[in-house]
Amino acid sequence: MEEKSYKEYLQHITTFIFDVDGVLTDGTVLITDKGDLLRKMSVRDGYAIKTAVDLGYNFCIITGGSDKGVSSRLKGLGIKDIYLGSHNKIEHFNEYVENNNIKPENVLYMGDDIPDLPVMKCVGLPCCPQDAAPEIKSISKYISHKNGGFGAVRDVIEQVLKVQEKWNKNYDAKV
């Protein structure tokens, strides 16, 4: 049986779930002399997230990190469901989809490393950044041409919205 192209899954995506470190960030953690952990995120990823949230897509973050600054940034983009300090991502995934009556086949999940494997095996469209771990790449239906923290999130969100004819709806000028 011929395997489907990842593009065939895009039309059915209603829900985006992302890891943070290595997906929304480049995986680098800067440590200040006070012990604060600093990360950077792409504003273009943020624009795509905010656009999808405003269009009514379900959004969830499941991350092993527990940084309050990360949570604050994501809440500012409109994401309400954020699981920080998740050491059992599949448990949080199951809780989220059950509580929100979401079918796993309608979920796009982007992860980059071993802790993401269990969830990625359960969703309709497992994705990863270009620089993900080999184990993650091997089960991904789509590997972005962008690295984590450098537009991989925007890449997948934009593709879904374009296929569903929702990308830039508010900015298309009539000439």
Side-chain angles (χ1 to χ4, degrees):
M1 188 166 130
E2 189 176 322
E3 194 169 320
K4 287 187 196 181
S5 161
Y6 81 93
K7 290 189 177 206
E8 295 178 60
Y9 295 91
L10 299 177
Q11 188 65 41
H12 306 288
I13 298 302
T14 63
T15 304
F16 295 96
I17 302 178
F18 295 105
D19 178 28
V20 173
D21 292 319
V23 174
L24 280 160
T25 76
D26 67 3
T28 301
V29 177
L30 303 174
I31 305 166
T32 69
D33 58 354
K34 293 180 183 177
D36 295 323
L37 303 179
L38 305 175
R39 295 164 173 88
K40 66 178 184 172
M41 294 183 178
S42 166
V43 295
R44 291 186 178 150
D45 285 349
Y47 171 77
I49 290 169
K50 180 77 171 122
T51 298
V53 167
D54 289 350
L55 287 168
Y57 286 85
N58 302 309
F59 248 93
C60 180
I61 300 296
I62 304 175
T63 180
S66 56
D67 188 277
K68 291 181 178 150
V70 168
S71 178
S72 177
R73 164 72 175 148
L74 297 171
K75 285 179 182 175
L77 295 173
I79 300 174
K80 295 179 182 112
D81 296 291
I82 302 171
Y83 295 91
L84 298 177
S86 179
H87 300 292
N88 186 352
K89 292 185 177 190
I90 193 69
E91 182 179 296
H92 289 124
F93 169 77
N94 288 332
E95 177 184 314
Y96 176 72
V97 296
E98 186 177 317
N99 288 346
N100 293 283
N101 198 29
I102 295 167
K103 294 179 182 175
E105 60 265 25
N106 298 126
V107 175
L108 179 154
Y109 182 97
M110 182 174 267
D112 73 304
D113 212 346
I114 305 302
D116 300 305
L117 276 170
V119 176
M120 291 179 74
K121 290 178 178 179
C122 294
V123 301
L125 186 53
C127 302
C128 69
Q130 177 61 42
D131 58 345
E135 297 87 347
I136 297 300
K137 286 181 163 184
S138 73
I139 65 161
S140 292
K141 291 180 183 168
Y142 176 70
I143 300 171
S144 176
H145 63 284
K146 304 277 190 176
N147 285 344
F150 291 95
V153 169
R154 166 119 177 206
D155 175 33
V156 294
I157 293 173
E158 189 174 327
Q159 286 192 58
V160 169
L161 272 55
K162 281 181 176 178
V163 163
Q164 296 182 14
E165 299 181 359
K166 296 178 180 178
W167 182 251
N168 274 339
K169 277 286 196 195
N170 296 333
Y171 296 102
D172 286 341
K174 304 279 185 206
V175 182

